[in-house]
Amino acid sequence: MLLKGLNKLTLQDFPDRVACILFTGGCDFRCPFCQNAALVTEFDDGYVDTEEFFSYLNSRKGMLDGVVLTGGEPLLQPDVVDFIKRIKGAGYAVKLDTNGYHPDKLERLYSEKLLDYVAMDIKNSPEKYALTAGLNAVDMSRVAAGKDLIMNSGVDYEFRTTVVKEFHEAEDFEGIGQFIRGAERYFLQRFRDEGGNIAEGLHAPGTDELSHYAEIMKKYVKNVLIR
């Protein structure tokens, strides 16, 4: 596993869990608004030793009860299944943050009952997915397969979209809504420019815009919230 960082405590990122966040390196998308540019584009050695991480988990039993695996894209890692098995074997619940682009690995994780919560980023409507992901093309069949696995898994999940003024408008949320119709939970996340983004010059939507987009999504999703 290429481990690039460890946040030792979070009370917000894993619902109903006291958790740590582990960041993996590398991603197959290049979303211009990504705030973890160094995680996405740098494939050098990791900064967190695997054995030191598991020593940390062992020392926090009774204080932590979950691990958030995020990135980058964790499912790019060739040994991610065995790594998650080891986390589960240590007695921790696992939340996976993913772009949904690796349905084969996702299916294996579900089949082996290794996931307790999954959050999938929905970049945009299918027509604008590649643009928003920073690529020339995206295989939407892979995205759809990942989305369907998550919705039909029986494991708690959420979908979420980072909303950027330059990439999203009202009609896009009609497309997103149709794409994830019937989903349990969906979050609109306001873009924040805190430096370190892949691209510069992007802006957050206004509060009224976000509220309008949320109302559109409520036609398709049971629970819609703004972060």
Side-chain angles (χ1 to χ4, degrees):
M1 291 287 288
L2 181 60
L3 306 178
K4 303 286 283 187
L6 174 64
N7 181 339
K8 292 185 176 181
L9 179 66
T10 176
L11 302 177
Q12 298 180 333
D13 291 85
F14 195 155
D16 303 319
R17 302 279 185 179
V18 179
C20 64
I21 307 175
L22 192 60
F23 297 87
T24 65
C27 187
D28 28 24
F29 290 174
R30 292 293 183 272
C31 306
F33 49 87
C34 179
Q35 293 180 317
N36 292 334
L39 299 179
V40 169
T41 60
E42 296 179 10
F43 291 85
D44 56 357
D45 292 338
Y47 303 117
V48 179
D49 180 80
T50 298
E51 296 310 317
E52 289 181 3
F53 167 68
F54 281 104
S55 293
Y56 171 74
L57 284 189
N58 289 332
S59 72
R60 291 300 183 269
K61 287 185 176 179
M63 292 176 278
L64 298 178
D65 57 4
V67 175
V68 178
L69 194 59
T70 190
E73 173 50 52
L75 297 187
L76 270 181
Q77 303 294 320
D79 51 349
V80 65
V81 176
D82 289 338
F83 187 80
I84 292 177
K85 281 182 182 179
R86 191 171 174 187
I87 296 173
K88 294 287 286 185
Y92 289 87
V94 173
K95 177 192 174 209
L96 173 69
D97 291 347
T98 182
N99 60 24
Y101 210 53
H102 301 271
D104 51 344
K105 285 187 180 176
L106 193 57
E107 185 172 25
R108 183 177 172 191
L109 290 167
Y110 278 131
S111 69
E112 299 193 30
K113 302 187 185 306
L114 296 175
L115 300 174
D116 300 279
Y117 194 99
V118 176
M120 177 178 169
D121 293 315
I122 303 294
K123 302 302 180 182
N124 209 327
S125 60
E127 294 77 13
K128 290 174 66 175
Y129 223 89
L131 172 69
T132 312
L135 303 175
N136 292 325
V138 166
D139 183 349
M140 286 304 298
S141 68
R142 290 173 61 178
V143 179
K147 176 260 300 183
D148 290 342
L149 280 168
I150 290 167
M151 288 183 65
N152 296 316
S153 67
V155 173
D156 205 6
Y157 70 92
E158 68 185 56
F159 295 125
R160 60 199 187 185
T161 299
T162 298
V163 187
V164 186
K165 195 172 186 66
E166 285 76 12
F167 287 97
H168 298 97
E169 52 192 357
E171 64 181 20
D172 297 319
F173 290 91
E174 294 285 355
I176 292 172
Q178 293 169 21
F179 186 60
I180 64 168
R181 184 191 297 270
E184 187 67 32
R185 188 179 299 112
Y186 175 76
F187 289 93
L188 297 102
Q189 301 180 157
R190 188 196 303 265
F191 167 73
R192 293 182 299 169
D193 187 355
E194 297 179 342
N197 305 105
I198 288 180
E200 298 180 353
L202 301 177
H203 301 86
T207 299
D208 289 345
E209 289 174 293
L210 273 181
S211 297
H212 179 47
Y213 301 157
E215 289 303 312
I216 293 172
M217 291 302 300
K218 287 177 182 178
K219 297 187 296 183
Y220 302 100
V221 177
K222 295 178 184 178
N223 300 289
V224 177
L225 297 167
I226 296 174
R227 278 192 179 127

